[in-house]
Amino acid sequence: MSLRTVLTRVYTFSAAHRLHSRHLDEGANRQVYDKCNNLYGHGHDYTLEVSVAGNPHPLTGFVLPLRDLDQAVHKILARLDYRYLDKEVEYFTSVISTGENIIGYLWDELQRQLPPNMLYHLKLWETNNNYFEIGKEL
Amino acid sequence: MKNITISKKFEFSASHRYWRDEWCEEENRRYFGNSTGPYGHGHNYELHVTVLGNIDPKTGMIINLTELKKYVNDVLESFDHKFLNLDTPYFKDKQPTTENLALVLFDLIAKKLKTLQGIALYKLRLYEKRDLYVDVWQDKS
């Protein structure tokens, strides 16, 4: 048996969105998404916990230098921070900006930014009371 | 029967410094940033200790928390209010990063708990700050 080491760093970003499906009529959208369907949108302070797994480097002691992790995450979050997701982020012009879809997007984008096999888990808090998770051991 | 764990939170404060002798000051600074300061800097660490075991039918507990507290505090005593680089023997040949500190603590606490029957250290979570933490656990594979 060996020890697993996973490093987690917590980030925040703020964004507006509106949950609305083009496959549903106005009444059904209202019914499914309730107040999240508000015509002009609404916003959240999102909190994102990014976990990377690996053995600490023998010389530096880091699983991944924080600077590298910060750089990769900030690059992706800069696209979302202080935006209206559905209108200002291309991906979400055709994908509904639910927490599920946002975390899926972040997983794919971060995979591309980080060294292979490092990204281990993401936890996205939409409010203090609901969060979404995606990861290798889920 | 389902596995049940119990966790207890601990706090300790310590200072540390990241520095490699083989590198010049500029290189250290470039790599470790403001964590290279010659006299160190400090954090209030928070440690979550998670123990796995069977419930003792007589007490209804996996482990008596008072006992767990004593064992863990025995370990933390030599880290609390210390300069990790110089006051502990563990970081002579490695950096006192959150990752390495969590691994050292896992090893020490696991050894302490080995004296207790049916109890195993399952996981540690070590917070250096609210936005930075490391999890260490035994990989079963």
Side-chain angles (χ1 to χ4, degrees):
Chain A
M1 289 208 292
S2 58
L3 290 181
R4 292 301 304 269
T5 311
V6 171
L7 169 81
T8 302
R9 185 107 151 129
V10 185
Y11 302 88
T12 60
F13 63 98
S14 306
H17 72 159
R18 179 196 187 202
L19 300 186
H20 184 89
S21 171
R22 69 176 92 157
H23 305 294
L24 303 172
D25 64 27
E26 212 172 294
N29 264 301
R30 192 75 211 165
Q31 201 184 2
V32 172
Y33 298 120
D34 196 27
K35 60 185 179 181
C36 299
N37 184 240
N38 184 51
L39 182 60
Y40 299 118
H42 64 282
H44 300 287
D45 287 315
Y46 291 91
T47 298
L48 178 69
E49 302 189 22
V50 180
S51 301
V52 289
N55 294 319
H57 190 281
L59 300 180
T60 64
F62 295 128
V63 166
L64 181 69
L66 287 180
R67 197 183 40 191
D68 297 356
L69 181 59
D70 286 350
Q71 214 169 35
V73 177
H74 286 146
K75 191 172 166 188
I76 303 304
L77 294 187
R79 297 180 198 158
L80 312 183
D81 198 22
Y82 283 76
R83 303 281 176 203
Y84 188 155
L85 301 179
D86 314 45
K87 291 186 191 300
E88 295 184 287
V89 180
E90 207 201 329
Y91 181 83
F92 294 106
T93 55
S94 57
V95 175
I96 302 167
S97 55
T98 55
E100 293 91 325
N101 282 335
I102 296 173
I103 202 170
Y105 167 81
L106 291 170
W107 178 265
D108 289 342
E109 293 299 311
L110 283 170
Q111 286 274 38
R112 255 174 243 151
Q113 296 296 326
L114 293 168
N117 292 320
M118 284 232 90
L119 187 59
Y120 181 76
H121 194 91
L122 292 181
K123 185 172 189 174
L124 177 70
W125 295 80
E126 190 179 60
T127 69
N128 283 334
N129 302 315
N130 62 307
Y131 60 81
F132 306 88
E133 290 180 276
I134 189 169
K136 283 193 175 158
E137 295 194 11
L138 272 180
Chain B
M1 195 177 139
K2 278 195 164 18
N3 282 330
I4 299 181
T5 62
I6 181 167
S7 301
K8 186 156 175 59
K9 207 167 91 179
F10 297 85
E11 289 176 340
F12 63 98
S13 305
S15 61
H16 68 170
R17 167 196 200 205
Y18 300 156
W19 179 266
R20 291 193 59 204
D21 284 336
E22 313 87 287
W23 289 354
C24 67
E25 186 166 348
E26 198 192 324
E27 209 172 348
N28 271 293
R29 190 154 278 280
R30 200 168 48 231
Y31 199 83
F32 294 123
N34 57 9
S35 299
T36 57
Y39 308 111
H41 62 279
H43 298 288
N44 297 324
Y45 290 93
E46 189 179 294
L47 181 70
H48 298 223
V49 178
T50 301
V51 169
L52 177 73
N54 296 321
I55 298 174
D56 182 332
K58 287 192 289 278
T59 63
M61 299 188 284
I62 294 171
I63 185 172
N64 189 322
L65 280 178
T66 313
E67 210 173 349
L68 178 63
K69 198 167 144 184
K70 185 179 132 347
Y71 280 97
V72 176
N73 278 336
D74 276 354
V75 170
L76 294 183
E77 199 182 359
S78 48
F79 294 85
D80 190 30
H81 286 73
K82 297 286 195 290
F83 182 29
L84 299 177
N85 302 61
L86 297 180
D87 291 322
T88 74
Y90 309 107
F91 304 103
K92 302 294 175 211
D93 57 354
K94 58 184 175 221
Q95 303 298 325
T97 57
T98 322
E99 293 92 317
N100 280 336
L101 179 55
L103 285 166
V104 165
L105 290 173
F106 193 99
D107 189 46
L108 293 171
I109 293 170
K111 273 187 192 133
K112 280 265 176 199
L113 295 182
K114 256 190 190 141
T115 54
L116 296 169
Q117 251 193 346
I119 301 290
L121 178 58
Y122 180 69
K123 185 177 161 184
L124 285 188
R125 173 171 288 189
L126 178 66
Y127 281 88
E128 184 181 275
K129 287 181 156 188
R130 292 311 310 166
D131 68 351
L132 178 67
Y133 62 85
V134 166
D135 291 311
V136 174
W137 70 95
Q138 288 276 6
D139 191 10
K140 304 242 167 19
S141 55

